[in-house]
Amino acid sequence: MSKDARTPVDFWFDPKCPWAWITSRWILEVERLRPIEVRWHVMSLAVLNEDKDISDDYRRMLADAWGPVRVCAAAERAYGPEVLGRLYTEIGTRRYQEKLPLDRGTLEAALTAAGLDPALAAAAESGEFDEAVRASHRDGIDRVGQDVGTPVIEVAGSAFFGPVMSPIPRGEAAAALFDGVVAVASTPGFFELKRTRTADPIFD
């Protein structure tokens, strides 16, 4: 099947979110098994929650969330959106598999491994790319509304938050979940399906 025949799947992520990381690994599994093409975009938990009543601990965590999305926005400007997927993979592998902090050294290593200029890590401490982050965030969140988190996914005009899951589905289980989620999300008038999380993120 040609690439042109593949259905675009737009995926908005914040590297700080462990649940989005799990979902991103799932959608890459789906990409092997279904005729889809994942297109990556940044969103920001810091932007999403800046006017919300949240705990002091969570707000401090969000202050550190600006760095990785700024670096992603800088890479997108320098190289184009096609680099975001591999950069996100390199950042997330270091954060969630190797348990490294999302500091300057980790971001430089991720950029290098993704074949990008490690000097772009300096964007983490700069507001130069904040409007680009906000614009990408708005683009995703406008499709689903404010009462969500990350990730946001859009498939063939149907957008939704999630799915949130743990561990990462693999093989046909991943593909079957995708089929079901798209069927639900594309049903006119369908808004919500949720239950309480009973497991922590599992990254294996």
Side-chain angles (χ1 to χ4, degrees), residues 65-76:
W66 273 104
V69 291
R70 285 168 171 167
V71 171
C72 287
E76 182 176 11

Side-chain angles (χ1 to χ4, degrees), residues 2-16:
S2 71
K3 186 175 182 179
D4 290 341
R6 301 177 77 82
T7 299
V9 173
D10 290 287
F11 191 110
W12 281 263
F13 66 92
D14 185 328
K16 189 76 171 181

Side-chain angles (χ1 to χ4, degrees), residues 28-66:
L28 288 176
E29 183 81 355
V30 174
E31 193 175 40
R32 295 192 311 104
L33 300 166
R34 293 290 186 267
I36 67 170
E37 177 189 2
V38 183
R39 303 186 302 197
W40 303 92
H41 314 271
V42 295
M43 65 181 296
S44 170
L45 288 173
V47 173
L48 183 69
N49 290 282
E50 62 187 351
D51 296 324
K52 294 183 179 179
D53 184 17
I54 58 177
S55 70
D56 290 341
D57 285 345
Y58 193 59
R59 193 165 296 284
R60 280 191 292 271
M61 183 278 291
L62 292 178
D64 295 335
W66 273 104

